[in-house]
């Protein structure tokens, strides 16, 4: 699909002004839309039917021609924009020049548990958007059935989370549930064992295989404070990650990657992982 760049949208065009408002939580709530930036996210948004509009600079239209063509086939409104308009839409220093306005993609926890998940990741009071997006991406890589952000967590549809997920937000069911106790209670009622990640857990991740063959909900704590004490104590078991060197701890996203990879191996077997598509 060839776009006409003779009269591209500028930073003052109403559609650009309204799309830029989606950087703010209030703007997203009012419009019932969110903004995705970057080739991976826009491609996934278009392919899954979440994108309603695509904005693209002339340079990006050449670089990401397949995405623009697919958007046309999917009847997504595609608009030519200036470089200044792209800078207005972007929240990065160097923009790729391609954006999508998207319909909401978050799931309810009830919809996730009805699917009888085998393992899910629960970010408890996750405040760092980069870690939140990475958690979604790792869950996608490891074949998790859902990601749940419980408590006072970052909005999964905010710009940096969407970008950090590299398109995985559109592939994995993601839930935002502010009531932590209710989230854990629903997961347990759905038959999942609750595994809390702690520094001094009684189960070493290296020996957790027997536990992980059962449906599991992994709890990952806040980057600064970890998991609340009462949540650790109420878990079915507590898992620690052995540290061989001098580091005091792992950040949340790294710990989640290690734990979910072990769940994936326990559920699918090493042979299935070896046969799966590589990175």
């Amino acid at each position: 699909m060839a776009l006409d760049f003779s009269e591209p949208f500028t930073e003052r065009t109403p559609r650009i002004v309204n799309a830029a408002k989606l950087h703010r939580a209030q703007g997203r709530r009012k419009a019932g839309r969110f903004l995705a930036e970057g080739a991976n996210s826009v491609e996934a948004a278009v392919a899954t039917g979440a994108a309603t509009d695509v904005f693209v600079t002339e340079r990006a239209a050449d670089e990401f021609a397949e995405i623009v063509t697919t958007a046309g086939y999917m009847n997504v409104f595609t608009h030519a924009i200036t470089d200044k308009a792209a800078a207005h839409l972007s929240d990065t220093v160097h923009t790729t020049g391609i954006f999508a306005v998207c319909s909401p993609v978050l799931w309810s926890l009830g919809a996730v548990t009805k699917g009888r998940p085998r393992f899910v990741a629960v970010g408890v009071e996750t405040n760092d958007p980069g870690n939140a997006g990475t958690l979604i991406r790792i869950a996608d890589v490891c074949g998790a059935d859902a990601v749940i952000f419980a408590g006072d967590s970052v909005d999964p549809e905010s710009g940096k989370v969407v970008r950090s997920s590299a398109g995985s937000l559109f592939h994995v069911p993601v839930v935002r549930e502010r009531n932590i106790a209710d989230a854990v209670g629903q997961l347990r009622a759905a038959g999942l064992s609750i595994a809390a990640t702690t520094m001094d857990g009684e189960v070493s991740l290296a020996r957790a295989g027997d536990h992980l063959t059962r449906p599991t909900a992994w709890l990952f704590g806040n980057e600064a404070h970890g998991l609340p004490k009462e949540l650790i104590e109420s878990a079915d078991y507590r898992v620690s990650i052995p540290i061989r060197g001098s580091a005091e701890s792992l950040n949340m996203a790294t710990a989640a990657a290690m734990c979910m990879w072990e769940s994936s191996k326990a559920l699918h077997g090493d042979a299935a992982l070896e046969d799966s598509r590589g990175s």
Side-chain angles (χ1 to χ4, degrees):
M1 174 183 176
L3 287 176
D4 182 5
F5 280 90
S6 61
E7 296 185 11
F9 287 175
T10 73
E11 68 275 17
R12 290 185 288 273
T13 302
R15 281 183 182 266
I16 299 297
V17 172
N18 290 332
K21 292 178 181 178
L22 300 178
H23 286 303
R24 300 190 295 273
Q26 183 179 2
R28 293 192 293 274
R29 287 194 298 269
K30 184 176 180 179
R33 294 287 187 272
F34 69 98
L35 189 65
E37 178 180 359
N40 290 334
S41 294
V42 173
E43 182 177 31
V46 168
T48 59
T52 62
D53 292 80
V54 167
F55 300 101
V56 62
T57 64
E58 189 167 12
R59 173 185 57 81
D62 290 335
E63 185 174 356
F64 309 117
E66 289 187 9
I67 300 175
V68 174
T69 299
T70 301
Y73 289 145
M74 298 287 286
N75 294 319
V76 178
F77 296 109
T78 306
H79 314 281
I81 64 173
T82 64
D83 290 337
K84 284 188 177 180
H88 193 61
L89 289 177
S90 179
D91 63 355
T92 65
V93 176
H94 302 291
T95 178
T96 58
I98 188 166
F99 310 83
V101 172
C102 305
S103 300
V105 296
L106 298 187
W107 289 49
S108 70
L109 186 53
V112 166
T113 56
K114 282 181 182 177
R116 303 192 66 81
R118 299 182 70 188
F119 90 95
V120 303
V122 183
V124 178
E125 297 184 334
T126 306
N127 299 133
D128 183 272
N131 270 344
T134 303
L135 182 64
I136 296 169
R137 190 176 186 182
I138 293 166
D140 191 10
V141 168
C142 294
D145 295 299
V147 177
I148 296 145
F149 292 102
D152 186 15
S153 297
V154 66
D155 180 1
E157 293 179 336
S158 63
K160 190 171 182 180
V161 178
V162 177
R163 191 167 60 255
S164 298
S165 81
S168 290
L169 175 68
F170 301 95
H171 299 147
V172 178
V174 176
V175 176
R176 194 183 192 192
E177 172 54 64
R178 295 190 181 276
N179 189 317
I180 299 173
D182 186 53
V184 173
Q186 288 192 53
L187 292 169
R188 182 173 274 125
L192 285 89
S193 296
I194 309 300
T197 51
T198 66
M199 292 290 293
D200 55 355
E202 72 272 16
V203 178
S204 168
L205 182 61
R207 297 180 176 85
D210 289 342
H211 292 278
L212 300 179
T213 58
R214 300 188 291 272
T216 303
W218 283 103
L219 305 184
F220 302 110
N222 172 279
E223 295 84 356
H225 309 296
L227 291 169
K229 182 179 179 181
E230 63 273 14
L231 199 57
I232 294 172
E233 293 175 348
S234 68
D236 294 304
Y237 55 94
R238 286 140 292 277
V239 179
S240 61
I241 299 174
I243 295 178
R244 311 299 185 197
S246 302
E248 291 185 0
S249 63
L250 296 166
N251 75 1
M252 185 269 278
T254 303
M258 297 175 72
C259 293
M260 286 195 282
W261 186 247
E262 290 299 322
S263 272
S264 189
K265 286 198 299 182
L267 290 172
H268 302 295
D270 290 337
L273 292 174
E274 291 170 1
D275 291 341
S276 65
R277 178 171 57 86
S279 59

